Amino acid sequence: MEQRFMATNGLAGREQELEAKQRLERERSDRPDQEPEPELAQKHEQAREETISGSEALLRGLLAEGVDCVFGYPGGNALYIYDAMTGNPAFKHLLTRHEQGAVHAADGYARSTGKVGVCIATSGPGATNLVTGIATAYMDSVPLVVITANVPTTVMGTDAFQEADIVSITMPITKHSYFVRDARDLPRIVREAFHLAGSGRKGPVLIDIPKDVSNRRVVYRPYEEELSLNGYEAAPAIDPAAIDELLAAIAEAERPLIIAGGGVVYANAASELLAFVDRTRIPVATTLLGLGGLPSSHELWLGMPGHHGGYAANTAIQNADLLISIGARFDDRVTMKLDGFAPRAKRIAHIDIDPAEIGKNVKTDIACIGDIKDVLDYANAAASPARAESWIARLRRDKADFPFRYRDSETELKPQYVIEMLHRTTRGEAIITTDVGQHQMWTAQFYTFNHPRALITSGGMGTMGFGFPSAIGAQLGNPERLVVSINGDGGMQMCAQEMAVCAIHNIPVKIVVINNQVLGMVKQQQEIMYERRYSQIDLAGSPDFVKLAEAYGIKGLRARTKAEAERVWQEVLDTHAPVLVEFMVPTEENVYPMVVAGTTLDRMIMGDLG
């Protein structure tokens, strides 16, 4: 009854608008050669003002921001928003099969394109199903605008059906939140939300819209004013003196090292970093999220540092006399035991857009706060080579003597071989998304990246279920690129339902499942740190992934040997449609090197190849 009543009111409103327009035309035809009197002109102007619903205002605001795809899942309190979509053919929406799939797809779209990703969900469980994805984006500084419906304002606070205070629930994991009380504010709120999400240190912004607000009819006025957000500073102005101090420290250093993180990628500062490295001749280690920020083919690239980082990168950190973090936040997976991190560093410098990161985990001697692109632009104008050629020669020997490697087999298909094959056949030019676990680390080690935004992975939150839906967003954002989603058999089951979306819309993601029939990373930690006391890690009862793919209407393939792997993977590449390929690999295989939690970076477990 409520929907029918609202629809009737909406129809009556449109009839009134039509009558007003017809009356205006009659008045014009009666006085064709005369200018309307001022009072009458004002009435005419009012008659020409357009009255629309809050939902329509929302969609127009999104289109004005250049949004070309929204990922979502409807529900009762979001129905006015979804009803408005039926009357707006310019608005593109992709129906996922779970709200978590929607937010991860929006995340993958954002990371791969640099644009703001958008997702929509209904109230209550729809909104709370987004929480993991919001936290994932927040930890990795990914720009999202997350739109949730809520119960009508008339029943808020009564524990109404599907009521949840999503603003309070997500407050610690959003950059900002809006609770919309007046539909007239929607054009401004949408504009501000995109500005907040996509500027400064990027992150998710929430817009929560009660059902009655989404249906309230208002005079539509696009927000065309200059944005003025009190207290918000997207990027602090750079301090030339601090950058000059850094350049002076570089001139004095004999063993300098750069740790480049995801901030380089998100600031679109890869070319500036490359120029800085070429000018200063400083070796570089790139974090998991920073992979591709400096081409892996560069002579001064050492690899990834940290928990499963390379020998050369970790050794360089422990022996550097000047450590420069650029867009990396000294995460515990990079530093490991803080008491013992970079013990020989006489000075530590940190370049970051967020002042809150300076000195948060590691004592900082030189703080260069500001947009990384701006900081490096200034530095590059005066940068000169460090006195580090003997240091560079030493690190090159370390990298050559201790590369990432594994014990290959002619009878078993090793996961590292699979990743090497993917890199070789795609020439390192694909967009790769991963889930979380051993396959994620093998990808970081054996698929080398030469471009930013080519690796899409959950770093800070380590979210299982992220890999596959994020690939859907990456593929829609990059329709001409090859997108490969690398998953474990555990994480693949957390969002496998999104295969329906690929099948229905022919989204040509290549879905790789590295199946070792176990929760591999948990198993490895239990083996090494818990004396092989294995607990709740057996995934042998998982579904037949080939048949599961076929049930969704996607081609499924499987390989158990090298020869089969090469053959089926070529078939995947020759198929212009979504395909799932399952590689059966040994359960016993571990990721090395490994630094055990609570120890320092120079205490690497190298496996049986050390």
Side-chain angles (χ1 to χ4, degrees):
M1 288 300 294
E2 177 189 2
Q3 289 180 348
R4 185 179 303 170
F5 176 72
M6 292 296 186
T8 302
N9 279 354
L11 179 59
R14 287 192 289 273
E15 289 175 347
Q16 291 172 1
E17 292 175 35
L18 180 60
E19 290 176 0
K21 291 179 180 179
Q22 291 172 342
R23 186 166 57 250
L24 176 61
E25 292 302 321
R26 286 196 300 270
E27 291 171 348
R28 283 178 174 169
S29 62
D30 291 341
R31 304 173 64 180
D33 300 324
Q34 301 179 36
E35 290 294 327
E37 298 176 4
E39 184 177 348
L40 185 59
Q42 185 177 4
K43 290 180 179 179
H44 289 177
E45 186 63 33
Q46 291 172 350
R48 282 196 295 268
E49 290 181 334
E50 189 176 11
T51 302
I52 63 175
S53 70
S55 296
E56 291 170 312
L58 171 67
L59 302 191
R60 291 192 188 188
L62 295 175
L63 289 172
E65 295 297 329
V67 174
D68 51 23
C69 185
V70 170
F71 306 87
Y73 202 96
N77 287 313
L79 288 184
Y80 287 125
I81 298 173
Y82 278 84
D83 185 54
M85 295 180 194
T86 64
N88 195 333
F91 192 83
K92 305 301 180 185
H93 177 281
L94 187 78
L95 174 64
T96 59
R97 293 303 182 266
H98 193 287
E99 292 88 356
Q100 187 170 345
V103 67
H104 290 331
D107 186 311
Y109 174 93
R111 294 188 200 226
S112 64
T113 64
K115 301 177 183 177
V116 177
V118 184
C119 62
I120 299 178
T122 194
S123 64
T128 57
N129 279 343
L130 298 175
V131 170
T132 296
I134 297 172
T136 300
Y138 183 79
M139 284 285 280
D140 290 349
S141 302
V142 178
L144 295 185
V145 168
V146 179
I147 300 164
T148 54
N150 213 325
V151 299
T153 56
T154 53
V155 297
M156 279 189 171
T158 68
D159 291 331
F161 178 66
Q162 293 192 333
E163 179 182 3
D165 183 359
I166 194 64
V167 170
S168 296
I169 290 170
T170 60
M171 193 168 290
I173 53 171
T174 52
K175 188 173 178 182
H176 190 68
S177 296
Y178 291 94
F179 177 73
V180 184
R181 292 177 172 81
D182 190 333
R184 291 174 296 183
D185 292 333
L186 276 165
R188 172 186 59 81
I189 287 174
V190 170
R191 177 87 179 278
E192 290 181 0
F194 273 80
H195 177 66
L196 288 167
S199 64
R201 181 174 182 172
K202 299 170 178 63
V205 175
L206 179 78
I207 303 176
D208 191 39
I209 309 173
K211 184 176 184 180
D212 52 332
V213 174
S214 69
N215 189 48
R216 194 162 297 147
R217 300 194 69 80
V218 295
V219 174
Y220 178 70
R221 293 187 177 88
Y223 190 77
E224 299 173 345
E225 301 174 25
E226 185 175 348
L227 281 178
S228 178
L229 303 176
N230 292 333
Y232 177 67
E233 184 179 35
I238 65 171
D239 180 2
I243 305 172
D244 291 340
E245 184 181 1
L246 171 60
L247 295 177
I250 291 172
E252 297 173 0
E254 296 180 350
R255 300 186 309 279
L257 177 70
I258 293 170
I259 299 178
V264 172
V265 175
Y266 300 148
N268 297 315
S271 60
E272 287 79 9
L273 174 63
L274 177 60
F276 185 69
V277 172
D278 287 341
R279 283 173 170 80
T280 60
R281 301 285 300 161
I282 299 177
V284 181
T286 46
T287 69
L288 177 65
L289 294 183
L291 291 173
L294 184 79
S296 60
S297 57
H298 197 283
E299 59 168 332
L300 296 177
W301 183 70
L302 299 177
M304 181 179 71
H307 183 44
H308 287 294
Y311 180 90
N314 284 348
T315 300
I317 290 174
Q318 294 302 90
N319 289 282
D321 62 357
L322 173 64
L323 191 61
I324 307 168
S325 170
I326 305 179
R329 57 187 178 85
F330 293 112
D331 172 74
D332 62 289
R333 285 298 177 102
V334 170
T335 64
M336 302 309 291
K337 185 181 180 182
L338 278 173
D339 182 13
F341 173 73
R344 299 185 179 180
K346 298 174 183 177
R347 306 188 80 181
I348 294 180
H350 194 170
I351 302 173
D352 205 289
I353 197 169
D354 187 356
E357 289 296 341
I358 305 298
K360 185 179 77 175
N361 296 326
V362 172
K363 182 181 179 296
T364 302
D365 302 296
I366 304 171
C368 299
I369 303 171
D371 187 281
I372 292 171
K373 190 184 267 288
D374 294 340
V375 172
L376 293 180
D377 268 337
Y378 179 92
N380 284 333
S384 57
R387 297 177 295 134
E389 288 308 315
S390 61
W391 168 241
I392 292 171
R394 171 183 169 181
L395 296 180
R396 281 178 178 161
R397 288 194 298 271
D398 286 343
K399 187 177 179 183
D401 291 344
F402 298 97
F404 289 121
R405 52 188 174 178
Y406 61 99
R407 194 176 298 282
D408 203 359
S409 170
E410 294 305 318
T411 59
E412 294 180 309
L413 179 60
K414 291 297 185 79
Q416 301 94 328
Y417 178 87
V418 172
I419 304 301
E420 286 182 328
M421 179 189 69
L422 299 185
H423 181 269
R424 168 169 42 86
T425 55
T426 62
R427 299 182 298 279
E429 294 297 317
I431 294 176
I432 302 294
T433 77
T434 82
D435 211 80
V436 172
Q438 287 179 313
H439 69 277
Q440 179 189 31
M441 294 297 102
W442 285 319
T443 300
Q445 293 176 345
F446 293 97
Y447 193 108
T448 50
F449 298 88
N450 281 317
H451 308 289
R453 301 190 185 279
L455 174 62
I456 311 298
T457 193
S458 172
M461 189 56 63
T463 302
M464 291 182 68
F466 172 84
F468 173 43
S470 70
I472 295 174
Q475 185 72 83
L476 290 180
N478 303 268
E480 303 304 318
R481 297 282 300 277
L482 172 65
V483 177
V484 180
S485 178
I486 304 175
N487 307 270
D489 48 322
M492 186 62 205
Q493 295 182 71
M494 293 189 174
C495 279
Q497 71 282 345
E498 304 307 331
M499 281 193 281
V501 177
C502 286
I504 292 168
H505 299 284
N506 196 32
I507 301 172
V509 172
K510 312 310 179 190
I511 310 163
V512 171
V513 179
I514 306 292
N515 190 348
N516 60 2
Q517 299 187 311
V518 71
L519 283 173
M521 194 60 82
V522 179
K523 177 199 75 72
Q524 179 167 341
Q525 293 186 39
Q526 290 178 345
E527 176 181 325
I528 294 173
M529 301 163 62
Y530 294 85
E531 300 176 343
R532 298 180 182 268
R533 293 191 297 275
Y534 299 122
S535 177
Q536 306 302 316
I537 57 171
D538 186 3
L539 295 180
S542 298
D544 182 322
F545 287 102
V546 171
K547 290 182 178 179
L548 183 62
E550 291 171 347
Y552 279 110
I554 291 177
K555 178 190 287 188
L557 302 167
R558 180 180 293 114
R560 298 178 183 274
T561 66
K562 285 183 177 181
E564 288 179 349
E566 297 282 351
R567 177 179 57 79
V568 300
W569 180 245
Q570 188 57 53
E571 184 176 348
V572 170
L573 293 178
D574 292 340
T575 303
H576 300 292
V579 187
L580 181 145
V581 56
E582 180 182 30
F583 295 104
M584 306 301 296
V585 302
T587 300
E588 298 78 19
E589 199 72 16
N590 284 336
V591 182
Y592 294 111
M594 177 182 179
V595 180
V596 175
T599 62
T600 53
L601 289 174
D602 50 359
R603 299 189 61 185
M604 285 169 277
I605 300 174
M606 302 300 292
D608 57 0
L609 296 175

mmCIF file of all heavy atoms in Angstrom, residues 20 76 80 143 150 160 201 204 227 233 258 334 362 393 399 402 435-436 445 461 518-519 578 584:
data_model
loop_
_atom_site.group_PDB
_atom_site.id
_atom_site.type_symbol
_atom_site.label_atom_id
_atom_site.label_comp_id
_atom_site.label_asym_id
_atom_site.label_seq_id
_atom_site.Cartn_x
_atom_site.Cartn_y
_atom_site.Cartn_z
ATOM 1 N N ALA A 20 1.400 22.882 -15.683
ATOM 2 C CA ALA A 20 2.108 24.153 -15.551
ATOM 3 C C ALA A 20 2.825 24.510 -16.843
ATOM 4 O O ALA A 20 2.821 25.665 -17.286
ATOM 5 C CB ALA A 20 3.098 24.077 -14.402
ATOM 6 N N GLY A 76 14.415 -3.828 -0.010
ATOM 7 C CA GLY A 76 13.211 -3.031 0.204
ATOM 8 C C GLY A 76 13.443 -1.547 0.374
ATOM 9 O O GLY A 76 12.781 -0.722 -0.268
ATOM 10 N N TYR A 80 13.296 2.701 -4.097
ATOM 11 C CA TYR A 80 13.078 3.960 -4.816
ATOM 12 C C TYR A 80 14.307 4.315 -5.657
ATOM 13 O O TYR A 80 14.183 4.843 -6.764
ATOM 14 C CB TYR A 80 12.753 5.095 -3.837
ATOM 15 C CG TYR A 80 11.372 5.000 -3.246
ATOM 16 C CD1 TYR A 80 11.180 4.999 -1.868
ATOM 17 C CD2 TYR A 80 10.253 4.914 -4.062
ATOM 18 C CE1 TYR A 80 9.914 4.908 -1.318
ATOM 19 C CE2 TYR A 80 8.973 4.817 -3.525
ATOM 20 C CZ TYR A 80 8.809 4.817 -2.152
ATOM 21 O OH TYR A 80 7.553 4.725 -1.612
ATOM 22 N N PRO A 143 39.803 4.742 -3.125
ATOM 23 C CA PRO A 143 38.669 5.668 -3.160
ATOM 24 C C PRO A 143 37.361 4.975 -3.551
ATOM 25 O O PRO A 143 37.213 4.478 -4.669
ATOM 26 C CB PRO A 143 39.088 6.686 -4.235
ATOM 27 C CG PRO A 143 39.970 5.915 -5.156
ATOM 28 C CD PRO A 143 40.703 4.924 -4.290
ATOM 29 N N ASN A 150 18.456 3.150 4.000
ATOM 30 C CA ASN A 150 18.124 2.880 5.396
ATOM 31 C C ASN A 150 16.615 2.940 5.558
ATOM 32 O O ASN A 150 15.882 3.328 4.640
ATOM 33 C CB ASN A 150 18.818 3.882 6.323
ATOM 34 C CG ASN A 150 19.186 3.244 7.656
ATOM 35 O OD1 ASN A 150 18.454 2.396 8.174
ATOM 36 N ND2 ASN A 150 20.319 3.641 8.215
ATOM 37 N N ALA A 160 13.381 -1.200 13.755
ATOM 38 C CA ALA A 160 12.522 -1.549 12.624
ATOM 39 C C ALA A 160 13.158 -2.664 11.805
ATOM 40 O O ALA A 160 14.361 -2.929 11.904
ATOM 41 C CB ALA A 160 12.294 -0.318 11.752
ATOM 42 N N ARG A 201 44.792 11.606 1.004
ATOM 43 C CA ARG A 201 44.917 10.168 1.212
ATOM 44 C C ARG A 201 43.547 9.567 0.931
ATOM 45 O O ARG A 201 42.590 9.772 1.670
ATOM 46 C CB ARG A 201 45.351 9.848 2.643
ATOM 47 C CG ARG A 201 45.503 8.349 2.858
ATOM 48 C CD ARG A 201 46.064 8.004 4.212
ATOM 49 N NE ARG A 201 46.240 6.570 4.338
ATOM 50 C CZ ARG A 201 46.852 5.977 5.359
ATOM 51 N NH1 ARG A 201 47.347 6.708 6.345
ATOM 52 N NH2 ARG A 201 46.980 4.668 5.397
ATOM 53 N N PRO A 204 37.363 5.258 1.483
ATOM 54 C CA PRO A 204 35.921 5.113 1.278
ATOM 55 C C PRO A 204 35.118 6.181 2.018
ATOM 56 O O PRO A 204 35.454 6.577 3.136
ATOM 57 C CB PRO A 204 35.623 3.722 1.845
ATOM 58 C CG PRO A 204 36.707 3.488 2.850
ATOM 59 C CD PRO A 204 37.910 4.225 2.363
ATOM 60 N N LEU A 227 33.633 23.899 -4.168
ATOM 61 C CA LEU A 227 33.634 23.132 -2.926
ATOM 62 C C LEU A 227 34.427 23.853 -1.839
ATOM 63 O O LEU A 227 35.518 24.361 -2.076
ATOM 64 C CB LEU A 227 34.249 21.756 -3.157
ATOM 65 C CG LEU A 227 33.351 20.702 -3.806
ATOM 66 C CD1 LEU A 227 34.132 19.422 -4.013
ATOM 67 C CD2 LEU A 227 32.123 20.430 -2.960
ATOM 68 N N GLU A 233 41.918 19.419 4.357
ATOM 69 C CA GLU A 233 43.038 19.802 3.518
ATOM 70 C C GLU A 233 43.480 18.567 2.760
ATOM 71 O O GLU A 233 44.025 17.615 3.329
ATOM 72 C CB GLU A 233 44.193 20.341 4.373
ATOM 73 C CG GLU A 233 45.362 20.853 3.570
ATOM 74 C CD GLU A 233 46.475 21.409 4.451
ATOM 75 O OE1 GLU A 233 46.684 20.856 5.558
ATOM 76 O OE2 GLU A 233 47.122 22.383 4.049
ATOM 77 N N ILE A 258 65.557 2.993 -0.775
ATOM 78 C CA ILE A 258 64.172 3.465 -0.856
ATOM 79 C C ILE A 258 63.228 2.281 -0.655
ATOM 80 O O ILE A 258 63.414 1.220 -1.266
ATOM 81 C CB ILE A 258 63.879 4.119 -2.228
ATOM 82 C CG1 ILE A 258 64.669 5.422 -2.391
ATOM 83 C CG2 ILE A 258 62.384 4.383 -2.401
ATOM 84 C CD1 ILE A 258 64.622 5.992 -3.807
ATOM 85 N N VAL A 334 56.148 -5.547 6.769
ATOM 86 C CA VAL A 334 57.397 -5.074 6.160
ATOM 87 C C VAL A 334 58.489 -4.957 7.214
ATOM 88 O O VAL A 334 59.613 -5.412 7.019
ATOM 89 C CB VAL A 334 57.190 -3.718 5.458
ATOM 90 C CG1 VAL A 334 58.528 -3.105 5.053
ATOM 91 C CG2 VAL A 334 56.306 -3.897 4.230
ATOM 92 N N VAL A 362 57.633 3.932 13.080
ATOM 93 C CA VAL A 362 59.091 4.009 13.080
ATOM 94 C C VAL A 362 59.497 5.464 13.280
ATOM 95 O O VAL A 362 58.931 6.366 12.649
ATOM 96 C CB VAL A 362 59.668 3.466 11.753
ATOM 97 C CG1 VAL A 362 61.165 3.712 11.672
ATOM 98 C CG2 VAL A 362 59.359 1.981 11.602
ATOM 99 N N ALA A 393 76.664 -2.617 -6.014
ATOM 100 C CA ALA A 393 77.311 -3.857 -6.449
ATOM 101 C C ALA A 393 77.075 -4.988 -5.446
ATOM 102 O O ALA A 393 76.820 -6.134 -5.831
ATOM 103 C CB ALA A 393 78.807 -3.615 -6.637
ATOM 104 N N LYS A 399 71.136 -10.234 -4.781
ATOM 105 C CA LYS A 399 69.954 -10.566 -5.575
ATOM 106 C C LYS A 399 70.244 -11.728 -6.522
ATOM 107 O O LYS A 399 69.398 -12.607 -6.727
ATOM 108 C CB LYS A 399 69.500 -9.335 -6.357
ATOM 109 C CG LYS A 399 68.178 -9.536 -7.094
ATOM 110 C CD LYS A 399 67.737 -8.258 -7.791
ATOM 111 C CE LYS A 399 66.420 -8.481 -8.545
ATOM 112 N NZ LYS A 399 65.996 -7.266 -9.285
ATOM 113 N N PHE A 402 70.754 -15.031 -4.270
ATOM 114 C CA PHE A 402 69.586 -15.508 -3.520
ATOM 115 C C PHE A 402 68.285 -15.023 -4.179
ATOM 116 O O PHE A 402 67.527 -14.248 -3.605
ATOM 117 C CB PHE A 402 69.644 -15.021 -2.068
ATOM 118 C CG PHE A 402 70.834 -15.526 -1.309
ATOM 119 C CD1 PHE A 402 71.973 -14.739 -1.172
ATOM 120 C CD2 PHE A 402 70.831 -16.790 -0.747
ATOM 121 C CE1 PHE A 402 73.080 -15.195 -0.476
ATOM 122 C CE2 PHE A 402 71.941 -17.253 -0.038
ATOM 123 C CZ PHE A 402 73.070 -16.459 0.090
ATOM 124 N N ASP A 435 43.658 -13.290 -4.505
ATOM 125 C CA ASP A 435 43.008 -13.423 -3.215
ATOM 126 C C ASP A 435 44.133 -13.355 -2.164
ATOM 127 O O ASP A 435 45.183 -12.761 -2.424
ATOM 128 C CB ASP A 435 42.220 -14.726 -3.146
ATOM 129 C CG ASP A 435 41.004 -14.574 -2.243
ATOM 130 O OD1 ASP A 435 39.982 -14.031 -2.690
ATOM 131 O OD2 ASP A 435 41.084 -14.984 -1.068
ATOM 132 N N VAL A 436 43.942 -13.959 -1.023
ATOM 133 C CA VAL A 436 44.932 -13.839 0.056
ATOM 134 C C VAL A 436 45.377 -15.220 0.505
ATOM 135 O O VAL A 436 44.551 -16.107 0.725
ATOM 136 C CB VAL A 436 44.337 -13.051 1.247
ATOM 137 C CG1 VAL A 436 45.277 -13.088 2.440
ATOM 138 C CG2 VAL A 436 44.053 -11.619 0.828
ATOM 139 N N GLN A 445 56.078 -12.863 -5.815
ATOM 140 C CA GLN A 445 57.468 -13.272 -6.008
ATOM 141 C C GLN A 445 57.797 -13.614 -7.463
ATOM 142 O O GLN A 445 58.870 -13.274 -7.955
ATOM 143 C CB GLN A 445 57.780 -14.488 -5.124
ATOM 144 C CG GLN A 445 57.765 -14.207 -3.633
ATOM 145 C CD GLN A 445 57.994 -15.462 -2.811
ATOM 146 O OE1 GLN A 445 57.890 -16.586 -3.306
ATOM 147 N NE2 GLN A 445 58.312 -15.285 -1.538
ATOM 148 N N MET A 461 44.264 -5.424 5.008
ATOM 149 C CA MET A 461 43.232 -6.234 5.648
ATOM 150 C C MET A 461 43.421 -7.719 5.367
ATOM 151 O O MET A 461 42.984 -8.562 6.152
ATOM 152 C CB MET A 461 41.853 -5.775 5.167
ATOM 153 C CG MET A 461 40.669 -6.381 5.901
ATOM 154 S SD MET A 461 40.665 -6.143 7.697
ATOM 155 C CE MET A 461 40.571 -4.356 7.809
ATOM 156 N N VAL A 518 44.041 -27.222 0.856
ATOM 157 C CA VAL A 518 44.329 -26.891 2.246
ATOM 158 C C VAL A 518 44.358 -25.379 2.396
ATOM 159 O O VAL A 518 44.560 -24.655 1.418
ATOM 160 C CB VAL A 518 45.696 -27.505 2.667
ATOM 161 C CG1 VAL A 518 46.856 -26.786 1.991
ATOM 162 C CG2 VAL A 518 45.880 -27.514 4.175
ATOM 163 N N LEU A 519 44.122 -24.898 3.613
ATOM 164 C CA LEU A 519 44.349 -23.483 3.903
ATOM 165 C C LEU A 519 45.858 -23.294 4.040
ATOM 166 O O LEU A 519 46.436 -23.426 5.123
ATOM 167 C CB LEU A 519 43.621 -23.069 5.187
ATOM 168 C CG LEU A 519 42.111 -22.861 5.069
ATOM 169 C CD1 LEU A 519 41.501 -22.629 6.440
ATOM 170 C CD2 LEU A 519 41.792 -21.695 4.154
ATOM 171 N N PRO A 578 34.824 -15.601 -20.262
ATOM 172 C CA PRO A 578 35.339 -16.018 -18.955
ATOM 173 C C PRO A 578 35.645 -17.512 -18.946
ATOM 174 O O PRO A 578 34.904 -18.311 -19.526
ATOM 175 C CB PRO A 578 34.195 -15.671 -17.996
ATOM 176 C CG PRO A 578 32.965 -15.632 -18.852
ATOM 177 C CD PRO A 578 33.424 -15.136 -20.188
ATOM 178 N N MET A 584 46.062 -28.212 -10.027
ATOM 179 C CA MET A 584 46.209 -29.050 -8.848
ATOM 180 C C MET A 584 47.682 -29.094 -8.453
ATOM 181 O O MET A 584 48.536 -29.547 -9.222
ATOM 182 C CB MET A 584 45.699 -30.467 -9.135
ATOM 183 C CG MET A 584 44.275 -30.510 -9.672
ATOM 184 S SD MET A 584 43.053 -29.772 -8.557
ATOM 185 C CE MET A 584 43.175 -30.869 -7.144
#
